[in-house]
Amino acid sequence: MLSVWKTKPGEGLEIKETDVPKIKDDEVLVKVKATSICGTDMHIYGWDNWAQKRIGKNLPYIFGHEVAGEVVEAGKNVKAVSVGDHVSAETHISCSHCFQCKTGKEHICENVKILGVDVNGTFAEYLALPHRNAWVNDKKIPHWIASVQEPLGNAVHTVFDGEVAGKTVTIFGMGPIGVCAVGLCKIAGAEKIIALDQHEGRLKFGKEFGADVLINSASADVKKEIMDATNGHGADVFLEMAGAESAMKDGLATLRPGGRASILGVFPKPFEIDVTNDIVFKGITMNGINGRKMFDTWYKTKALLPKMKLERLITHKFKLSEIENGFDVLKKREGMKVVLEP
Amino acid sequence: MLSVWKTKPGEGLEIKETDVPKIKDDEVLVKVKATSICGTDMHIYGWDNWAQKRIGKNLPYIFGHEVAGEVVEAGKNVKAVSVGDHVSAETHISCSHCFQCKTGKEHICENVKILGVDVNGTFAEYLALPHRNAWVNDKKIPHWIASVQEPLGNAVHTVFDGEVAGKTVTIFGMGPIGVCAVGLCKIAGAEKIIALDQHEGRLKFGKEFGADVLINSASADVKKEIMDATNGHGADVFLEMAGAESAMKDGLATLRPGGRASILGVFPKPFEIDVTNDIVFKGITMNGINGRKMFDTWYKTKALLPKMKLERLITHKFKLSEIENGFDVLKKREGMKVVLEP
Amino acid sequence: MLSVWKTKPGEGLEIKETDVPKIKDDEVLVKVKATSICGTDMHIYGWDNWAQKRIGKNLPYIFGHEVAGEVVEAGKNVKAVSVGDHVSAETHISCSHCFQCKTGKEHICENVKILGVDVNGTFAEYLALPHRNAWVNDKKIPHWIASVQEPLGNAVHTVFDGEVAGKTVTIFGMGPIGVCAVGLCKIAGAEKIIALDQHEGRLKFGKEFGADVLINSASADVKKEIMDATNGHGADVFLEMAGAESAMKDGLATLRPGGRASILGVFPKPFEIDVTNDIVFKGITMNGINGRKMFDTWYKTKALLPKMKLERLITHKFKLSEIENGFDVLKKREGMKVVLEP
Amino acid sequence: MLSVWKTKPGEGLEIKETDVPKIKDDEVLVKVKATSICGTDMHIYGWDNWAQKRIGKNLPYIFGHEVAGEVVEAGKNVKAVSVGDHVSAETHISCSHCFQCKTGKEHICENVKILGVDVNGTFAEYLALPHRNAWVNDKKIPHWIASVQEPLGNAVHTVFDGEVAGKTVTIFGMGPIGVCAVGLCKIAGAEKIIALDQHEGRLKFGKEFGADVLINSASADVKKEIMDATNGHGADVFLEMAGAESAMKDGLATLRPGGRASILGVFPKPFEIDVTNDIVFKGITMNGINGRKMFDTWYKTKALLPKMKLERLITHKFKLSEIENGFDVLKKREGMKVVLEP
């Protein structure tokens, strides 16, 4: 089968012809129909600090983790998924026996392995997937859309980490997940959605998905604009989806006392926070968001997907063999979401 | 009446003879029977950066805010408090019409005034107090103990910000509030209480109130000791009551994925936090804690007070006129809680 | 002023010319611009068992409680409301000093008095209203719509008693509050809204406000239809807004294990419930809903009102002097919401 | 091996010598060291209506479900449990793929099978147990105590279904689970524990485990006594552990507005509830409690077990071959908890 490997340190990837993987008793074999490129894949492709530290010891391996496909074989212990099912993959492969796994928090398993990071991933024609990680899709959803459920799930997890209906929400970072968050807040009855990014092109997506206020954080006085848009009280909810220090600071500074901050962004390094004024005195709640709740988030995602115009987010489709084109488009920030079809 | 004033910038205080305050229609006049010294009073007495910025414009005024006494007069609009009642004071005087006040979060009122900080306080023979801030005490509780309900309330608010029974809890800072937190965790069925401070004398109070593990953070490898005490998993709950950067970092680093961090400490300045690893990837919840919930925390405090040996925390009593002695004892860290009796 | 009285037992009302009420220091005088008729007013007008028991001792008095108007005078202790403000009334006049009032639950105050039930109400040209019960409206909202915020608030309280986005919801009773609940669930991203009533005319309103499935409970096999519409699993959320024994039973029986039942309906008498099978074994949560959270619900209502087509619910307008016409229309079930304008 | 069967309709049981069960790949073989008798076993033994309906189609089979023992063999897919481990059994064997199972609520699995009810149970020398249902015990806990963790877990689930510290709690039914609930409330800092039962002998156990107020519901004016003990306000929390209609009615009637009712009891048949006055107007929350949260409850139970004097609840020990003696003792209400040792 065709498969895309990270074989050695440094920027780039390698396309190879390899054997279709053999599945274990508790795995299914998925014929990949669509696999999309995530920010994490950009880090791996570009081989930045994070990738070197996190992935270095795993080379060589197949990367990629957003996927939709069809089950073509099922191991003998597999339950609840059948040959012919259309599936996506929950990318957190949890141990199922640590405290978190046994108390409904598998998404923060102590021993988690991540698809396309710790084990072979989805940039390939076939994928061996633990049956517990196979999420059965409605066959009416095209694969190229279903593949994007995984990052949509990140947005669902973050947005619905608390109340949204009737609330004013700031969303920092109009990448695909941020734009999904805008759409979800709109669907869920937010009173006012304030979207921020440094790129006008990305803000346009925010607008299209329902943002009420757009702020270009490259040029605007962010704090002033948010406070003006909230009658001087601050926002009820702050969603960090930029992974940027300035976003974190501005977001916390403009959160109303008693507000909720849900942080999904991954930051390149530690940075200063004014804990006293921004967290303690205001009595806010800050939640770290990792992955998707398994599988509460997936059920919600499935239910809300038909209300989203997710296809508008998928700006490019390529063949899997043309994967380098996909990375090019994203490096130039010309695209939002790139889907590859084997 | 005798009253204790902060009249001008710089360390120190001034004792004066002044008129008994006149009460308004919605106030009660409290004859002060006991008033205790809080860390905030130390800042005001010592005139540090915080005091200069926060208090500078309020001078001259009477400071102090922890109190117990008897109502001797009631304004004509006063309900639910009567002459003869024994009362303590909730020190947050809220506006009652901002969003927070109207949604059950008066303790983080946007327009709050604080007793002894923004308005005349309790280091005096008499106190004019808004009737809504008067908390009626059981007459069986001596005034010198009842006065300490206010900081105990901070501990109640912090500890019961989430579940405690059957949990492992780290508590950083064995000042009076930290020690109260230890006692409350014990009363509430915590599985293991890990108490930290840099002073052996304070750790002894932690032990006396029920701590299972004591760690001297001045000398120990804090992270290692906490991880060892939690079988390598980290604590379920982290209570920051030290207002120290190192406490915050160690507490977050040793919190288990999905854990709860409740931050009461006030920090001298912003500092670096590893948001990605300590908050996002671990999926923790961090809550800022300010004051006491009005008045949920007071009801809980009243209910739990009889189970606490609060008198053991009160190391010194002085006459109000000897207040300088109280500040001396605390500056030398010879005492835990100092109560003044007019 | 013109005012509408319940003067004596038995069906009917009496229109009188009386003095404009004198306000107290903590009250405002509201010039009534619109007042709408609620189911409770129907009970009082018709003098059923409930009315006899609940109202008997209050006669004679002015009834009515849904209102919008303009403040024309303010008592000297009034804060945060001014002459000229457009206001609606929160109808629960709470004592502000019982446990519930002091812990953020004023809506279930132990000593509550209800406007138009325990004290003079809104079917009049002027209304004396405690300032804490005056909710300031956006002047862009017409009074005849603003008046209906009170029952809309009941729906907001019930719907947002838990999660709605991505959930399947059964709503029993397509009176004005039930229809509002349908609209709110739609706005808040419910996956599927199943609306039930015995009257086709009312179901049509449910459909117009966004119901996905309509079930006429007078003729249908309710349990079967709900289970069919939920793939045999049952609904995630059950909202009782009919006050009918059969609704309660069918709603509970078709609630999925772990589901939420929020009960707003008022039932004529106690009735049998299969606690073991419908509550215990399924591990459901059932919440009683009374009034509106003060004032969390009002903020949410204000935020969501512009997204609702509330005007579509108001089928009739009459002059206050024609109030009997309003009751006629409602008795014949020809109208949904009737607004009276003095 | 020796094993105890329900072979046919009617009161009684049958002791047989049968083969040690063969385990499947995902099961462990447990050598039973202690197995205790539950109320459910009494129903099965006595063959009442419930048993006839629920068990009829399963005969013949081995009953019993409370157990502690040692793993002597492990199937090849077994993880996280090893030969030599001391274990107890979670008795809900969940399907792991229904909505509830996949969203952290396995205890209310749609396809649950119950040990000793739907499949062969623990009244035997050996038990084949799915590895996911094996809970590893601390070896310092004697088996005869560890066996009782399962009903203790019911109490833990019910008590910690909400806040307890500083609360007033009514507990109806001083069977073993009710007495455990008393002990847990005491450990967790309840302000006042009001224990009710019709038998003085059982109330004594309530007292021993920490109840502050004892009410004999066979003779007392239950409502009056509870209201008196709560200063006329009602209890904050009501735990139904009697499965009695009168308990349910009195418990709801004496619950304070906004209170929490957690219902574990199983009632012989549906009965009347005053939903309007006891649930809706008071705005209470009622939760059905089934089994133990898997496995949040087990972790909490493990943590709290050392604080309980659970041995005081175990009034009788017999050999497994003398099981009829155990049923005798319980039928005569001479014992609380009976443990059998093979």
Side-chain angles (χ1 to χ4, degrees):
Chain A
M1 67 173 188
L2 195 78
S3 52
V4 180
W5 294 68
K6 191 78 191 180
T7 51
K8 54 177 193 293
E11 197 186 40
L13 54 77
E14 194 171 334
I15 299 180
K16 298 207 274 191
E17 190 66 28
T18 51
D19 288 344
V20 170
K22 300 255 178 294
I23 57 169
K24 294 179 197 154
D25 288 353
D26 61 352
E27 290 182 337
V28 291
L29 186 68
V30 178
K31 183 165 172 45
V32 175
K33 298 288 193 174
T35 175
S36 33
I37 302 179
C38 168
T40 302
D41 301 318
M42 298 286 290
H43 293 299
I44 296 172
Y45 178 86
W47 204 245
D48 64 8
N49 280 336
W50 175 85
Q52 292 166 35
K53 240 164 72 178
R54 182 73 170 79
I55 310 288
K57 63 182 187 306
N58 299 340
L59 302 184
Y61 81 107
I62 299 171
F63 67 125
H65 59 273
E66 300 180 5
V67 71
E70 189 175 331
V71 174
V72 293
E73 194 187 339
K76 70 175 181 134
N77 294 337
V78 170
K79 288 187 294 194
V81 192
S82 308
V83 170
D85 280 350
H86 290 195
V87 296
S88 285
E90 164 52 51
T91 54
H92 285 218
I93 302 170
S94 61
C95 77
S96 84
H97 54 74
C98 73
F99 173 77
Q100 282 80 246
C101 282
K102 296 192 81 162
T103 56
K105 296 182 170 176
E106 287 181 75
H107 63 292
I108 42 173
C109 167
E110 276 177 26
N111 310 299
V112 71
K113 289 191 183 312
I114 296 184
L115 200 68
V117 172
D118 298 303
V119 301
N120 278 340
T122 63
F123 290 163
E125 287 183 85
Y126 290 91
L127 167 73
L129 185 70
H131 71 121
R132 296 184 61 255
N133 287 69
W135 176 260
V136 178
N137 290 320
D138 187 331
K139 287 187 180 172
K140 278 178 288 193
I141 309 292
H143 292 296
W144 62 281
I145 290 180
S147 176
V148 184
Q149 273 181 105
E150 200 260 14
L152 172 58
N154 289 125
V156 168
H157 187 182
T158 313
V159 168
F160 296 108
D161 180 42
E163 277 202 316
V164 173
K167 301 288 183 190
T168 294
V169 186
T170 53
I171 306 178
F172 286 74
M174 287 297 108
I177 297 177
V179 173
C180 283
V182 169
L184 292 164
C185 286
K186 196 71 184 177
I187 285 170
E191 182 183 15
K192 188 179 277 192
I193 303 165
I194 302 171
L196 300 100
D197 200 289
Q198 301 187 329
H199 299 274
E200 283 299 320
R202 301 204 141 197
L203 285 169
K204 271 183 204 152
F205 279 96
K207 185 169 178 56
E208 181 174 352
F209 276 71
D212 300 291
V213 178
L214 302 175
I215 299 177
N216 187 322
S217 49
S219 53
D221 181 341
V222 169
K223 285 186 208 172
K224 184 181 178 307
E225 294 209 13
I226 293 174
M227 294 314 280
D228 286 353
T230 58
N231 299 318
H233 297 297
D236 300 304
V237 179
F238 155 44
L239 309 182
E240 212 293 338
M241 296 176 149
E245 181 179 336
S246 60
M248 189 76 173
K249 286 180 175 173
D250 291 341
L252 288 177
T254 58
L255 187 60
R256 119 178 291 160
R260 184 231 323 172
S262 295
I263 316 299
L264 178 76
V266 171
F267 304 84
K269 57 182 175 49
F271 55 91
E272 276 192 355
I273 290 187
D274 186 351
V275 175
T276 302
N277 290 301
D278 284 347
I279 297 175
V280 177
F281 285 160
K282 293 206 297 192
I284 70 153
T285 289
M286 185 193 295
N287 294 326
I289 308 291
N290 185 349
R292 295 142 299 278
K293 281 195 200 166
M294 295 161 65
F295 286 85
D296 184 76
T297 301
W298 284 91
Y299 282 100
K300 238 182 228 126
T301 302
K302 185 172 203 162
L304 296 172
L305 184 59
K307 298 178 192 280
M308 298 278 293
K309 303 164 298 179
L310 209 54
E311 64 283 3
R312 284 291 302 125
L313 208 59
I314 299 165
T315 50
H316 296 79
K317 276 197 242 181
F318 296 103
K319 294 202 176 238
L320 178 59
S321 56
E322 302 163 340
I323 185 169
E324 292 268 17
N325 294 349
F327 282 106
D328 275 355
V329 158
L330 292 171
K331 277 195 289 185
K332 296 178 190 157
R333 288 189 177 273
E334 286 172 0
M336 279 299 272
K337 202 75 208 174
V338 171
V339 173
L340 309 165
E341 295 175 324
Chain B
M1 68 173 187
L2 194 79
S3 52
V4 180
W5 294 68
K6 190 79 193 181
T7 51
K8 56 176 191 289
E11 197 186 41
L13 53 77
E14 194 170 334
I15 299 180
K16 300 206 275 191
E17 190 66 30
T18 52
D19 288 344
V20 169
K22 300 255 180 296
I23 58 168
K24 295 180 196 152
D25 289 352
D26 60 353
E27 289 182 338
V28 291
L29 185 68
V30 179
K31 182 165 173 47
V32 175
K33 299 288 192 172
T35 175
S36 33
I37 302 179
C38 167
T40 301
D41 302 318
M42 298 286 290
H43 293 298
I44 296 171
Y45 178 87
W47 205 245
D48 64 8
N49 281 334
W50 175 85
Q52 293 166 33
K53 241 163 73 177
R54 182 75 172 78
I55 310 288
K57 63 183 188 307
N58 300 339
L59 303 183
Y61 82 109
I62 299 171
F63 67 125
H65 60 273
E66 300 180 7
V67 71
E70 189 175 330
V71 174
V72 292
E73 192 188 341
K76 71 174 180 129
N77 294 337
V78 170
K79 289 185 294 193
V81 192
S82 308
V83 169
D85 280 350
H86 289 195
V87 296
S88 284
E90 164 51 51
T91 54
H92 285 218
I93 303 171
S94 61
C95 75
S96 83
H97 54 74
C98 74
F99 173 78
Q100 282 80 247
C101 282
K102 296 194 80 161
T103 56
K105 295 182 171 175
E106 288 182 75
H107 63 292
I108 44 174
C109 167
E110 276 178 26
N111 311 300
V112 71
K113 289 192 184 311
I114 296 183
L115 200 68
V117 172
D118 299 304
V119 301
N120 278 340
T122 63
F123 290 162
E125 288 182 85
Y126 290 91
L127 166 75
L129 184 70
H131 72 121
R132 296 184 62 254
N133 287 69
W135 177 259
V136 178
N137 289 322
D138 187 333
K139 287 185 179 174
K140 279 177 290 194
I141 308 291
H143 293 296
W144 61 282
I145 289 181
S147 176
V148 185
Q149 273 181 107
E150 200 260 15
L152 173 59
N154 289 125
V156 168
H157 188 182
T158 313
V159 167
F160 296 107
D161 180 42
E163 279 201 316
V164 173
K167 301 288 183 190
T168 294
V169 186
T170 53
I171 306 178
F172 286 75
M174 287 296 107
I177 298 178
V179 172
C180 283
V182 168
L184 292 164
C185 286
K186 196 71 184 177
I187 285 170
E191 182 184 16
K192 188 180 277 192
I193 303 166
I194 302 171
L196 300 100
D197 201 290
Q198 301 187 327
H199 300 274
E200 283 299 319
R202 302 204 141 198
L203 285 170
K204 270 184 204 151
F205 279 95
K207 185 169 178 56
E208 181 174 350
F209 275 72
D212 300 290
V213 178
L214 302 174
I215 299 177
N216 187 324
S217 49
S219 54
D221 180 341
V222 169
K223 285 186 207 172
K224 186 181 176 309
E225 293 209 13
I226 294 174
M227 294 313 281
D228 285 354
T230 57
N231 299 317
H233 296 297
D236 299 306
V237 179
F238 155 45
L239 308 181
E240 211 295 335
M241 296 176 149
E245 181 179 336
S246 60
M248 189 74 173
K249 286 182 175 173
D250 290 341
L252 287 178
T254 57
L255 186 61
R256 121 177 289 161
R260 183 227 329 169
S262 295
I263 316 299
L264 178 77
V266 171
F267 304 84
K269 58 181 176 50
F271 55 91
E272 276 192 357
I273 290 187
D274 186 351
V275 175
T276 302
N277 291 301
D278 284 347
I279 298 175
V280 178
F281 285 160
K282 294 206 297 193
I284 70 152
T285 289
M286 184 193 293
N287 293 328
I289 308 292
N290 185 350
R292 295 143 300 278
K293 282 195 201 166
M294 294 161 65
F295 285 89
D296 184 77
T297 301
W298 283 91
Y299 283 100
K300 236 180 231 129
T301 302
K302 186 172 204 160
L304 296 173
L305 183 58
K307 298 179 193 280
M308 296 278 294
K309 303 165 297 180
L310 209 54
E311 65 281 4
R312 284 289 302 122
L313 208 59
I314 299 165
T315 49
H316 298 77
K317 277 197 241 183
F318 295 103
K319 292 200 176 239
L320 179 58
S321 56
E322 302 163 340
I323 185 169
E324 291 268 15
N325 295 349
F327 281 108
D328 275 355
V329 157
L330 291 171
K331 275 195 290 186
K332 296 181 190 155
R333 289 189 176 274
E334 287 172 1
M336 279 298 273
K337 203 74 208 174
V338 171
V339 174
L340 309 165
E341 294 175 325
Chain C
M1 66 173 188
L2 195 80
S3 52
V4 181
W5 294 69
K6 191 79 192 182
T7 50
K8 56 176 193 287
E11 197 186 40
L13 54 78
E14 192 169 335
I15 298 179
K16 298 207 275 191
E17 191 65 30
T18 51
D19 289 343
V20 170
K22 300 256 180 292
I23 57 169
K24 295 179 197 153
D25 289 352
D26 61 353
E27 289 182 337
V28 291
L29 186 68
V30 179
K31 182 164 174 48
V32 175
K33 298 289 191 171
T35 176
S36 33
I37 302 179
C38 168
T40 301
D41 301 318
M42 297 286 291
H43 292 298
I44 296 171
Y45 178 87
W47 204 246
D48 63 9
N49 280 336
W50 175 85
Q52 292 166 34
K53 240 162 75 175
R54 181 75 171 78
I55 311 288
K57 65 185 184 309
N58 300 339
L59 301 184
Y61 81 110
I62 298 171
F63 66 126
H65 58 273
E66 300 180 7
V67 72
E70 189 175 331
V71 174
V72 292
E73 193 188 340
K76 71 176 178 128
N77 294 337
V78 170
K79 288 186 296 192
V81 193
S82 308
V83 169
D85 280 350
H86 290 195
V87 297
S88 284
E90 164 51 51
T91 54
H92 285 217
I93 302 171
S94 60
C95 75
S96 83
H97 54 73
C98 74
F99 173 77
Q100 282 79 246
C101 282
K102 296 193 81 162
T103 55
K105 296 182 171 176
E106 288 182 75
H107 63 291
I108 43 175
C109 168
E110 277 178 27
N111 309 301
V112 72
K113 290 193 182 310
I114 296 184
L115 200 68
V117 172
D118 298 303
V119 301
N120 278 340
T122 63
F123 290 162
E125 288 183 86
Y126 291 90
L127 166 73
L129 184 70
H131 71 121
R132 295 184 62 257
N133 288 67
W135 177 259
V136 178
N137 289 322
D138 186 333
K139 287 187 179 172
K140 280 177 289 194
I141 308 292
H143 292 296
W144 61 280
I145 290 181
S147 176
V148 184
Q149 274 181 104
E150 200 259 13
L152 173 58
N154 289 124
V156 168
H157 188 183
T158 313
V159 168
F160 296 108
D161 178 43
E163 280 201 313
V164 173
K167 301 289 183 190
T168 294
V169 186
T170 52
I171 306 177
F172 286 75
M174 287 298 108
I177 297 177
V179 174
C180 283
V182 169
L184 292 164
C185 286
K186 196 70 184 179
I187 285 170
E191 182 182 16
K192 189 179 275 190
I193 303 165
I194 303 171
L196 299 100
D197 200 289
Q198 300 187 330
H199 299 274
E200 283 299 320
R202 302 204 141 198
L203 284 170
K204 271 183 204 153
F205 278 95
K207 184 169 179 56
E208 181 175 350
F209 276 71
D212 300 291
V213 177
L214 303 174
I215 299 177
N216 187 322
S217 49
S219 54
D221 180 342
V222 169
K223 284 186 209 171
K224 184 181 177 308
E225 294 210 12
I226 294 175
M227 294 313 279
D228 285 353
T230 56
N231 300 316
H233 297 297
D236 299 305
V237 180
F238 154 46
L239 308 181
E240 211 295 337
M241 298 175 147
E245 180 179 337
S246 61
M248 190 74 171
K249 287 182 174 171
D250 290 341
L252 288 177
T254 58
L255 186 60
R256 119 176 290 160
R260 181 218 345 159
S262 295
I263 315 299
L264 178 77
V266 171
F267 304 84
K269 58 181 175 53
F271 55 91
E272 275 192 358
I273 290 188
D274 186 350
V275 175
T276 301
N277 290 302
D278 285 345
I279 297 175
V280 177
F281 285 159
K282 294 206 297 191
I284 71 153
T285 289
M286 185 193 294
N287 294 327
I289 308 292
N290 184 350
R292 295 143 301 278
K293 282 193 199 167
M294 295 162 65
F295 286 87
D296 185 77
T297 301
W298 283 91
Y299 283 99
K300 236 181 231 129
T301 302
K302 185 172 203 159
L304 296 172
L305 183 59
K307 299 177 191 282
M308 297 277 295
K309 303 165 298 180
L310 209 53
E311 65 282 4
R312 284 289 302 121
L313 208 59
I314 300 164
T315 49
H316 298 78
K317 278 197 241 182
F318 295 102
K319 294 199 176 238
L320 179 58
S321 57
E322 302 164 341
I323 185 169
E324 292 267 18
N325 294 349
F327 282 106
D328 276 355
V329 159
L330 291 171
K331 276 196 289 186
K332 295 179 191 155
R333 290 190 175 273
E334 287 172 2
M336 280 297 272
K337 203 75 206 170
V338 171
V339 174
L340 309 166
E341 296 175 323
Chain D
M1 65 173 191
L2 196 79
S3 51
V4 180
W5 294 69
K6 191 78 191 181
T7 50
K8 55 176 193 287
E11 197 185 40
L13 53 78
E14 191 169 338
I15 298 179
K16 299 208 273 192
E17 190 65 29
T18 52
D19 289 342
V20 170
K22 300 256 180 294
I23 58 169
K24 294 180 198 154
D25 288 352
D26 61 352
E27 289 183 337
V28 290
L29 186 68
V30 179
K31 182 165 173 48
V32 175
K33 298 287 193 174
T35 176
S36 33
I37 302 179
C38 168
T40 301
D41 302 317
M42 298 286 290
H43 293 299
I44 295 172
Y45 178 87
W47 204 245
D48 64 8
N49 280 335
W50 175 85
Q52 291 166 35
K53 238 163 75 176
R54 182 73 171 79
I55 310 288
K57 64 184 183 310
N58 299 340
L59 302 185
Y61 82 109
I62 298 171
F63 66 126
H65 59 274
E66 300 179 7
V67 72
E70 189 176 329
V71 174
V72 293
E73 193 188 340
K76 69 174 181 131
N77 294 337
V78 170
K79 289 187 295 193
V81 192
S82 308
V83 170
D85 281 350
H86 289 194
V87 297
S88 284
E90 164 52 49
T91 54
H92 285 218
I93 301 171
S94 62
C95 76
S96 83
H97 55 73
C98 74
F99 173 78
Q100 283 80 245
C101 282
K102 296 194 79 160
T103 56
K105 296 183 171 175
E106 288 181 75
H107 64 291
I108 43 174
C109 168
E110 277 178 27
N111 310 300
V112 72
K113 290 193 182 309
I114 296 184
L115 200 68
V117 172
D118 298 303
V119 300
N120 278 342
T122 62
F123 290 162
E125 287 183 85
Y126 290 91
L127 166 73
L129 185 70
H131 70 122
R132 296 184 61 255
N133 288 67
W135 177 259
V136 178
N137 289 321
D138 186 333
K139 286 187 180 174
K140 280 179 288 195
I141 308 292
H143 292 296
W144 62 281
I145 290 181
S147 176
V148 184
Q149 272 182 105
E150 201 260 12
L152 173 58
N154 289 124
V156 168
H157 188 182
T158 313
V159 168
F160 296 107
D161 180 43
E163 279 200 315
V164 174
K167 302 288 183 190
T168 294
V169 186
T170 53
I171 306 178
F172 286 76
M174 287 296 109
I177 297 178
V179 173
C180 283
V182 169
L184 292 164
C185 286
K186 196 71 184 177
I187 285 171
E191 181 182 16
K192 188 179 276 192
I193 303 165
I194 302 171
L196 301 100
D197 200 289
Q198 301 186 328
H199 299 274
E200 284 299 320
R202 302 205 139 197
L203 285 170
K204 271 184 205 154
F205 279 95
K207 185 170 180 55
E208 181 174 351
F209 275 72
D212 300 291
V213 178
L214 302 175
I215 299 177
N216 187 323
S217 49
S219 53
D221 181 342
V222 169
K223 284 186 209 172
K224 184 180 178 311
E225 293 210 12
I226 294 174
M227 294 314 279
D228 286 352
T230 57
N231 300 317
H233 297 297
D236 300 304
V237 180
F238 155 45
L239 309 182
E240 211 295 336
M241 297 175 148
E245 180 178 337
S246 61
M248 189 75 173
K249 287 182 173 171
D250 291 341
L252 288 178
T254 58
L255 187 61
R256 120 176 290 160
R260 185 230 322 172
S262 295
I263 315 300
L264 178 77
V266 171
F267 304 84
K269 58 181 175 51
F271 55 90
E272 276 193 357
I273 291 188
D274 186 351
V275 175
T276 302
N277 290 301
D278 285 346
I279 298 175
V280 176
F281 285 160
K282 294 206 297 191
I284 69 153
T285 289
M286 184 193 295
N287 294 326
I289 308 291
N290 185 349
R292 293 143 300 278
K293 282 195 200 167
M294 294 160 66
F295 286 88
D296 185 77
T297 301
W298 284 91
Y299 282 100
K300 236 180 231 127
T301 302
K302 185 172 204 160
L304 296 173
L305 182 59
K307 299 177 192 280
M308 297 278 294
K309 304 165 295 179
L310 209 53
E311 66 281 4
R312 284 290 302 123
L313 208 58
I314 299 165
T315 49
H316 297 77
K317 276 198 243 184
F318 296 101
K319 292 198 178 241
L320 178 59
S321 56
E322 302 164 340
I323 185 168
E324 292 267 17
N325 294 349
F327 282 106
D328 275 355
V329 158
L330 291 171
K331 275 195 290 186
K332 294 179 191 154
R333 289 189 176 273
E334 287 171 1
M336 280 298 272
K337 203 75 206 172
V338 171
V339 174
L340 309 165
E341 296 175 323

